Amino acid sequence: MAEAFDRWLPYIQPIAEALIDLADISKGQSILDVASGTGEPSLTLARRYGKKGISIIGVDGAEAMVVRANQKAEVEALTCLEFRQMKAEALDFENAQFDRVISRFGVMLFDDPLLGVSEMRRVLRHGGKMVIAIWSEFYKIPSLYLIWDVLMKAMPEDKQPFTPRIGGLGAEGVLDTLLEEAGFEEDHFEIKPFILTYRYDDFESYWEISTSAGMLKEPLDSLSAEVQADLKKKVEKLTLPYFENGEIVFHNEAILASCVK
Ligand SMILES: C[S@@+](CC[C@H](N)C(=O)[O-])C[C@H]1O[C@@H](n2cnc3c(N)ncnc32)[C@H](O)[C@@H]1O
């Protein structure tokens, strides 16, 4: 996943920009990026504010992600930034150590989102800001859900994988409750939807990038070549309403939450 994941980065960069704006970073601040994956949004932040004396630590539970992120920081000589392997649910930092805590597309994947977000709040200083991006409900991410839905209908029930965690915090009110239970006061956070538009030149490129790695690949690979080909045809038909000026265009819904401790 660490290698394949980078193909998605251009698609999700707009939400990194929005997250960084909301984080309102200023000179000398210390920032923690939780579930930093292959390095974003930390790398963007380091390029932009590295000379303003900020320091960034990115943490991720997966070693391969951390290795890749550190390689990128090294290649660009981004010395204000380091990545460590660490689970969100057990942050090895002091209380109130950071001015800002950020996370893009990590929280909904945590084994224990409440513990993870409580930890993120614990290490944030009083008056500091936490900004997180998560995905909305799964069916509101049509670029993925379209294939997933056809795929599940093609699989025998006993072979179907669990519904991915990706949309687990996306339903109305779920994130609000989580933030309150983690200790943020009701009038200290704001939640708003954010649309990420994915564009593909043609069906083949959409199919290739969506199925060559990631959560669709494994269930798809478990099917025979014949069933896979049939499924691909079905998906191709379903993409027809998404064509705009010769491109396939999906409007995927994410959620941004900005919280003050
Ligand atoms: C979709 S990626 C997002 C990576 C990066 N923040 C980005 O936006 O490019 C999600 C990341 O969350 C990490 N992750 C999932 N559960 C975690 C946990 N409990 N603690 C730390 N990292 C976790 C995964 O290893 C993965 O790298």
Side-chain angles (χ1 to χ4, degrees):
M1 270 305 274
E3 274 184 39
F5 186 76
D6 282 355
R7 301 179 68 188
W8 293 106
L9 292 179
Y11 290 87
I12 57 177
Q13 183 62 17
I15 202 165
E17 300 297 339
L19 187 152
I20 289 169
D21 281 352
L22 282 170
D24 192 19
I25 307 290
S26 51
K27 225 172 158 183
Q29 285 184 331
S30 60
I31 299 150
L32 176 67
D33 179 7
V34 179
S36 48
T38 60
E40 289 294 347
S42 287
L43 292 159
T44 301
L45 266 179
R47 286 180 204 119
R48 207 161 288 170
Y49 297 96
K51 294 206 169 73
K52 292 191 173 155
I54 62 162
S55 64
I56 311 169
I57 301 178
V59 298
D60 196 280
E63 190 188 357
M65 292 290 199
V66 175
V67 169
R68 194 166 173 89
N70 272 324
Q71 280 166 353
K72 291 186 192 177
E74 215 176 294
V75 167
E76 291 190 51
L78 296 168
T79 50
C80 67
L81 169 63
E82 64 163 301
F83 296 97
R84 301 183 194 168
Q85 187 179 4
M86 197 182 293
K87 294 264 291 181
E89 291 88 343
L91 294 175
D92 190 12
F93 300 111
E94 303 286 322
N95 292 348
Q97 186 174 329
F98 296 94
D99 299 297
R100 298 287 181 265
V101 176
I102 58 171
S103 180
R104 180 179 72 171
F105 293 147
V107 175
M108 70 282 162
L109 303 176
F110 295 170
D111 292 324
D112 187 338
L114 177 56
L115 182 55
V117 174
S118 303
E119 277 289 272
M120 289 160 74
R121 185 180 177 279
R122 177 185 67 77
V123 301
L124 186 62
R125 74 162 160 80
H126 192 72
K129 244 185 171 188
M130 180 183 87
V131 186
I132 60 172
I134 61 165
W135 282 111
S136 207
E137 287 174 278
F138 195 13
Y139 77 91
K140 293 183 179 171
I141 319 168
S143 71
L144 272 178
Y145 190 74
L146 195 77
I147 303 180
W148 176 265
D149 193 39
V150 177
L151 184 55
M152 288 308 110
K153 285 176 183 145
M155 287 184 87
E157 236 170 75
D158 60 329
K159 297 261 162 48
Q160 289 178 3
F162 291 114
T163 304
R165 287 179 182 175
I166 188 164
L169 302 177
E172 181 84 34
V174 173
L175 185 59
D176 305 57
T177 305
L178 176 73
L179 292 171
E180 281 181 46
E181 285 179 358
F184 288 100
E185 285 167 41
E186 196 189 349
D187 56 352
H188 278 49
F189 61 82
E190 207 178 315
I191 294 176
K192 55 180 184 188
F194 186 94
I195 301 297
L196 275 165
T197 300
Y198 288 16
R199 294 174 188 279
Y200 304 88
D201 289 339
D202 50 40
F203 176 71
E204 279 307 320
S205 50
Y206 164 56
W207 180 261
E208 204 276 320
I209 191 171
S210 306
T211 60
S212 59
M215 60 186 237
L216 299 171
K217 183 174 165 41
E218 209 177 304
L220 193 65
D221 285 351
S222 73
L223 302 171
S224 70
E226 204 185 339
V227 176
Q228 283 189 38
D230 180 53
L231 197 142
K232 187 175 169 183
K233 269 193 209 142
K234 281 188 181 137
V235 174
E236 188 168 10
K237 262 196 195 153
L238 290 170
T239 57
L240 293 178
Y242 293 92
F243 268 88
E244 281 178 26
N245 303 320
E247 286 179 322
I248 302 183
V249 182
F250 291 111
H251 301 289
N252 294 315
E253 189 177 298
I255 296 172
L256 271 170
S258 171
C259 324
V260 175
K261 182 169 171 182

